Amino acid sequence: MNSAGTVVTWWGHATCTVEDSGVRLLTDPLFVRRFAHLRRRRGALPTARAAHADAVLVSHLHSDHLHLPSLARLAPGTLVVVPRGAVRQVPGLRRFCTAEVAPGEHVRVGALSVRAVHAEHDGRRLPLGPHRCPALGYVVEGASTTYFAGDTGLYDRMAEAVGPVDTALLPVGGWGPNLGAGHLDADRAAQALAALEPRHGVPIHYGTYWPIGLDGVRPHEFHTPGIEFERRAAVLAPEVAVHRLEHGESVRTEGPA
């Protein structure tokens, strides 16, 4: 077994730290207890350590994924990787050091190569943004290969677009009682896991934020997606080790033997 793997920490929602080859990447940082109509209902706020990163990967422009006040907690000069066209649509990004990418393009962060891949999701800045920015996932290649899916639905040739990976960070729910198009629920995420065939799977994007005043509306959509993903993955992708993390918990995932 290769001892040089990746450490993944889930801070809640789509916010993760991926540590590989001495480099720390942070995904879709969201560091607030409340914003807009959403309140953090489970898990402590991420610690100050969560904001320490060599680069940030932003999957799309929705405010729960591209959150400017959370980005402001980064050290000055931290690279923020965003979808191509994001800076024009979100002028607040101009105060950060950004790199814009489209599917198939790469960014180098220290010893890591980060490749943008397609995500099946409406990536515009809602509610009024023009639809000129792709939603992205990212494949991080270092001692092992990690796929951060961002927000996405299932799509044809997904496994081909992503390529071989050791660890897949997959959304399995959302922040409200209903999931629209361009999302994965627990069952569709397990189908994605079976298609991707990673060594490890980590469910994210569930059980953190919920609309204020709707605590009693379809509460199972808040509490159970991680458990349901684990159950379905055992049926559809039994060879994959699923790690259902608590908020702030870490796991080391290994690369090829």
Side-chain angles (χ1 to χ4, degrees), residues 3-136:
S3 61
T6 298
V7 176
V8 174
T9 304
W10 182 52
W11 302 105
H13 202 53
T15 306
C16 302
T17 295
V18 177
E19 300 176 74
D20 188 329
S21 304
V23 179
R24 286 174 60 92
L25 301 179
L26 179 65
T27 67
D28 290 353
L30 190 56
F31 295 151
V32 292
R33 188 168 300 282
R34 174 178 173 175
F35 76 103
H37 64 300
L38 303 180
R39 182 180 73 241
R40 191 177 181 108
R41 285 191 56 208
R42 193 165 69 185
L45 286 175
T47 64
R49 178 174 171 269
H52 295 167
D54 297 291
V56 174
L57 310 180
V58 173
S59 63
H60 62 288
L61 305 192
H62 293 174
S63 60
D64 57 323
H65 293 258
L66 172 54
H67 188 250
L68 294 173
S70 293
L71 289 177
R73 292 182 52 182
L74 303 169
T78 301
L79 178 66
V80 181
V81 183
V82 295
R84 186 164 299 284
V87 176
R88 174 175 291 186
Q89 290 199 37
V90 186
L93 283 170
R94 291 173 184 156
R95 57 184 156 136
F96 302 101
C97 175
T98 58
E100 294 191 340
V101 291
E105 296 180 341
H106 293 73
V107 173
R108 195 80 192 176
V109 184
L112 303 182
S113 175
V114 178
R115 174 169 54 92
V117 299
H118 173 76
E120 190 70 16
H121 191 70
D122 183 348
R124 81 184 87 184
R125 189 71 163 180
L126 297 177
L128 300 175
H131 201 168
R132 297 176 185 160
C133 255
L136 301 175

Side-chain angles (χ1 to χ4, degrees), residues 77 90 141 150 167 180 199 203 214 225:
V90 186
E141 299 176 344
T167 302
R199 294 163 58 86
L214 294 185

